[in-house]
Amino acid sequence: MKPTIHPHDNANANANANANANANERHNTMNDTKPTIVLIHGAFADASGYAGIIGRLEAEGYPVVAPPNPLRGLTSDADSIRTRVAAIDGPVVLVGHSYGGAVMGAVAAGLTNVIGQVYLAAFGLDVGENCLAIQEGYPVSLLATENAPTSYDAPGAPGGPDLYIKEERFREVFAGDSSVATARAMFATQRPLAAFAFTEAATVRGWDTTPTWYLVSTEDNSIPPKLQEFMAARMNAHTERIEASHTAFVAHPESVALFIQNAVEDFTGRSAA
């Protein structure tokens, strides 16, 4: 059974209600040139996790790009992704998951071709915040206790170790609603996050430069759902919820792809107004 995505009322409710009401008329309401959707993956993963939603979005006529996120440092990661996004002709919608949301905000700042941002259980940082400190005051996530630092410094990072999710509880931490086999493959292929990246402070606040949509994963064991709600409310994002793990887009690609598609329609309508 597919999970239900639950809308959440906020300051953007009226504008987004209109976007949702027009969901069945997307081919008539979109501009002739559809935005390119750029998918930014988070820590402990690579862009292949987006495979299930890439095909669905491309079937609707959207160009999709999923560049590698280096996971070495917030500033350098954003510089890497920004170079790719800046080279895209036409409008762009950014989609970020987890740590990829922090990178996305930094990417969006200063780019005029970005018309909207979609956060999937993702960090949305203000200036001076980092992905570790912003979690203070919220229930401790399993990720906080089930990660293991390497005995060596992270290659390509200014200093400090790489971090991996421990094998024993990987599925529970990261992908509780995926199959055992899928979670096992995700563990085996996980890309480490440099500890430096998780503690590097944001120097820009990019989430207030464009409209934003936020999908809260209510069964998330990596980023506390209450923290997700706080970040979504702070950025005045259109917010919906899905009863899913941290990687909802892997287990429920159809639902997440539709959420992204509705967000893109909303952004496109606003930019054309």
Side-chain angles (χ1 to χ4, degrees), residues 63-153:
V64 180
V65 177
N69 186 354
L71 308 178
R72 301 295 83 189
L74 182 57
T75 300
S76 61
D77 292 346
D79 288 344
S80 176
I81 302 295
R82 185 184 299 108
T83 300
R84 181 69 178 92
V85 175
I88 296 174
D89 291 330
V92 172
V93 171
L94 301 178
V95 179
H97 170 246
S98 193
Y99 168 75
V103 174
M104 176 171 66
V107 170
L111 287 183
T112 58
N113 61 339
V114 176
I115 64 170
Q117 300 171 67
V118 180
Y119 289 76
L120 306 177
F123 288 105
L125 302 180
D126 204 342
V127 174
E129 294 176 341
N130 64 54
C131 294
L132 179 63
I134 196 174
Q135 299 185 62
E136 294 178 3
Y138 291 90
V140 177
S141 69
L142 279 179
L143 177 60
T145 60
E146 296 300 321
N147 70 82
T150 58
S151 59
Y152 50 84
D153 284 346

Side-chain angles (χ1 to χ4, degrees), residues 29 264-273:
T29 57
V264 173
E265 291 176 359
D266 178 32
F267 302 151
T268 304
R270 297 191 197 196
S271 65

Side-chain angles (χ1 to χ4, degrees), residues 235-260:
M235 66 178 68
N236 198 29
H238 169 84
T239 304
E240 299 184 16
R241 303 180 181 88
I242 185 169
E243 188 176 342
S245 75
H246 188 56
T247 50
F249 58 92
V250 175
H252 314 289
E254 183 176 352
S255 297
V256 177
L258 181 59
F259 177 81
I260 294 171

Side-chain angles (χ1 to χ4, degrees), residues 153-166:
D153 284 346
D162 266 329
L163 301 176
Y164 286 89
I165 300 177
K166 296 176 184 177

Side-chain angles (χ1 to χ4, degrees), residues 2-265:
K2 293 185 295 184
T4 300
I5 293 182
H6 303 282
H8 176 64
D9 292 334
N10 55 30
N12 287 332
N14 291 335
N16 290 306
N18 291 334
N20 290 333
N22 292 328
N24 292 328
E25 300 176 8
R26 59 179 53 93
H27 292 294
N28 295 326
T29 57
M30 294 293 287
N31 291 339
D32 291 338
T33 301
K34 290 191 174 183
T36 298
I37 299 173
V38 178
L39 305 171
I40 305 172
H41 69 81
F44 314 112
D46 61 24
S48 66
Y50 285 124
I53 64 175
I54 289 173
R56 288 169 170 82
L57 294 172
E58 288 183 335
E60 294 294 329
Y62 293 102
V64 180
V65 177
N69 186 354
L71 308 178
R72 301 295 83 189
L74 182 57
T75 300
S76 61
D77 292 346
D79 288 344
S80 176
I81 302 295
R82 185 184 299 108
T83 300
R84 181 69 178 92
V85 175
I88 296 174
D89 291 330
V92 172
V93 171
L94 301 178
V95 179
H97 170 246
S98 193
Y99 168 75
V103 174
M104 176 171 66
V107 170
L111 287 183
T112 58
N113 61 339
V114 176
I115 64 170
Q117 300 171 67
V118 180
Y119 289 76
L120 306 177
F123 288 105
L125 302 180
D126 204 342
V127 174
E129 294 176 341
N130 64 54
C131 294
L132 179 63
I134 196 174
Q135 299 185 62
E136 294 178 3
Y138 291 90
V140 177
S141 69
L142 279 179
L143 177 60
T145 60
E146 296 300 321
N147 70 82
T150 58
S151 59
Y152 50 84
D153 284 346
D162 266 329
L163 301 176
Y164 286 89
I165 300 177
K166 296 176 184 177
E167 179 177 5
E168 293 77 13
R169 301 184 73 181
F170 179 91
R171 182 170 179 247
E172 184 180 1
V173 170
F174 205 63
D177 45 3
S178 291
S179 70
V180 172
T182 296
R184 180 63 193 173
M186 293 170 70
F187 165 77
T189 60
Q190 69 173 303
R191 289 183 53 210
L193 174 72
F196 174 80
F198 208 58
T199 56
E200 183 180 2
T203 59
V204 295
R205 182 181 71 190
W207 42 258
D208 58 352
T209 61
T210 72
T212 54
W213 278 42
Y214 198 112
L215 184 59
V216 174
S217 287
T218 63
E219 307 304 309
D220 198 324
N221 286 326
S222 293
I223 300 179
K226 288 185 178 180
L227 173 58
Q228 295 179 41
E229 295 278 4
F230 164 76
M231 292 184 290
R234 181 174 65 174
M235 66 178 68
N236 198 29
H238 169 84
T239 304
E240 299 184 16
R241 303 180 181 88
I242 185 169
E243 188 176 342
S245 75
H246 188 56
T247 50
F249 58 92
V250 175
H252 314 289
E254 183 176 352
S255 297
V256 177
L258 181 59
F259 177 81
I260 294 171
Q261 191 172 341
N262 287 340
V264 173
E265 291 176 359

